[in-house]
């Protein structure tokens, strides 16, 4: 049986861990050649090696997509190596929540840089190649899948800048969807609730305690749950565009 994404090339940011890692592995299972991008060189190479051992095709490109030139260089390298780009998954993320008085501007800047600017820089660089793929590829469609959050739908005390960054991702994705849908370039946003990733451990100590209390008794999602949604979007036939997916743990009622 032919894999649904055979002959496609997928670029995944934040691929060293969590949702990005799971998404890259899942897309490789579907037959895509995956390009794994992340700041932690050793970690991205480990994931690429895992894809290869499992019979897939992978290329690791260590890079910081919060730097516009670096993001553009990544896209350029992908196209020079593979000759095309069909799918982009923006999964790089930063979550540094906590009391706004105690928070530093560096923490706030980091969330905006990673969540908003990183997504923006990758999309800007990838657009011409994605549109070319949508026009010329056998699938007759290309995809950008942005990982937002339920925090991009509902604001919460202590989460102001993370809320702002994820609301921005959700809004930009919808605007791009309207702009490029008639050219067969689909933009989709996935908004997960609590996912068991290392992001929770990056927050201020008091914020971690508050989050632990808030999510007490909640069985968090696994990164693979979000990767399944990524695969569902990317393998959908051209006629079907999945604009938005919200995924919460069954126990999460907020």
């Amino acid at each position: 049986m032919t894999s649904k994404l055979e002959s496609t090339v997928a670029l995944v940011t934040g691929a060293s861990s969590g949702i990005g890692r799971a998404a890259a592995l899942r897309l490789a299972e579907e037959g895509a050649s995956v390009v794994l991008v992340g700041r932690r060189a050793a970690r991205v190479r480990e994931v690429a090696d895992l894809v290869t051992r499992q019979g897939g095709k992978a290329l690791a490109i260590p890079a910081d997509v919060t730097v516009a030139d670096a993001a553009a260089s990544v896209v350029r390298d992908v196209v020079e190596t593979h000759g095309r780009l069909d799918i982009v998954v923006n999964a790089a993320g930063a979550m540094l929540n906590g009391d706004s008085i105690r928070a530093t501007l560096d923490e706030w800047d980091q969330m905006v840089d990673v969540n908003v600017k990183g997504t923006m820089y990758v999309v800007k660089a990838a657009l011409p190649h994605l549109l070319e793929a949508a026009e010329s590829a056998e699938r007759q469609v290309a995809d950008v899948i942005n990982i937002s959050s339920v925090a991009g739908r509902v604001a919460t005390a202590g989460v102001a800048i993370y809320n702002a960054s994820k609301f921005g991702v959700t809004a930009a994705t919808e605007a791009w969807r309207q702009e490029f849908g008639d050219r067969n370039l689909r933009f989709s946003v996935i908004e997960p609730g609590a996912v068991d990733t290392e992001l929770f451990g990056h927050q201020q100590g008091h914020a971690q305690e508050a989050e632990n209390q808030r999510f007490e008794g909640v069985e968090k999602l696994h990164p693979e749950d979000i990767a399944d949604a990524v695969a569902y979007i990317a393998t959908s036939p051209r006629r079907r565009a999945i604009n938005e997916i919200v995924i919460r743990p069954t126990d999460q009622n907020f």
Side-chain angles (χ1 to χ4, degrees), residues 32-46:
S33 295
V34 292
V35 179
L36 302 98
V37 181
R39 287 182 286 189
R40 293 174 291 187
R43 293 278 291 272
V44 235
R45 292 189 179 110
E46 286 174 8

Side-chain angles (χ1 to χ4, degrees), residues 14-240:
S16 62
S17 65
I19 293 171
R21 178 183 185 276
L25 292 171
R26 187 72 176 80
L27 292 174
E29 288 178 8
E30 293 290 346
S33 295
V34 292
V35 179
L36 302 98
V37 181
R39 287 182 286 189
R40 293 174 291 187
R43 293 278 291 272
V44 235
R45 292 189 179 110
E46 286 174 8
V47 181
D49 289 344
L50 177 58
V51 171
T52 303
R53 290 198 302 272
Q54 293 178 345
K57 301 173 185 176
L59 171 67
I61 303 182
D64 181 355
V65 295
T66 68
V67 178
D69 288 345
S73 178
V74 165
V75 172
R76 190 163 52 247
D77 288 349
V78 172
V79 176
E80 287 177 357
T81 301
H82 291 287
R84 60 184 308 106
L85 178 58
D86 302 86
I87 300 163
V88 170
V89 180
N90 283 302
M95 184 173 70
L96 302 169
N97 296 332
D99 179 86
S100 295
I101 297 295
R102 300 189 223 183
T104 66
L105 284 176
D106 284 344
E107 291 173 330
W108 287 0
D109 282 339
Q110 186 177 344
M111 285 189 281
V112 173
D113 286 347
V114 176
N115 300 345
V116 180
K117 289 184 177 180
T119 296
M120 177 177 72
Y121 293 153
V122 171
V123 168
K124 179 64 172 174
L127 274 172
H129 308 290
L130 292 165
L131 289 168
E132 182 179 348
E135 182 177 344
S136 63
E138 182 179 347
R139 292 194 319 146
Q140 293 294 295
V141 73
D143 286 287
V144 176
I145 303 167
N146 293 328
I147 308 300
S148 182
S149 168
V150 293
R153 300 172 61 85
V154 181
T156 306
V159 189
I161 307 307
Y162 186 67
N163 281 145
S165 69
K166 291 301 188 179
F167 267 79
V169 170
T170 297
T173 305
E174 169 59 15
W176 283 323
R177 181 193 71 78
Q178 295 178 29
E179 186 174 359
F180 295 106
D182 62 358
R183 298 178 68 181
N184 289 345
L185 173 53
R186 301 182 296 201
F187 275 83
S188 305
V189 65
I190 301 176
E191 298 158 309
V195 183
D196 188 13
T197 72
E198 62 185 43
L199 282 186
F200 281 92
H202 295 169
Q203 303 177 99
Q204 301 171 28
H206 71 278
Q208 288 187 44
E209 293 175 10
E211 291 291 321
N212 288 338
Q213 292 177 6
R214 190 177 184 213
F215 289 100
E216 185 176 2
V218 172
E219 182 183 0
K220 292 180 181 177
L221 298 168
H222 295 178
E224 292 75 17
D225 296 323
I226 314 307
D228 285 344
V230 169
Y232 174 62
I233 291 169
T235 60
S236 289
R238 193 214 64 82
R239 69 179 181 276
R240 185 172 69 212

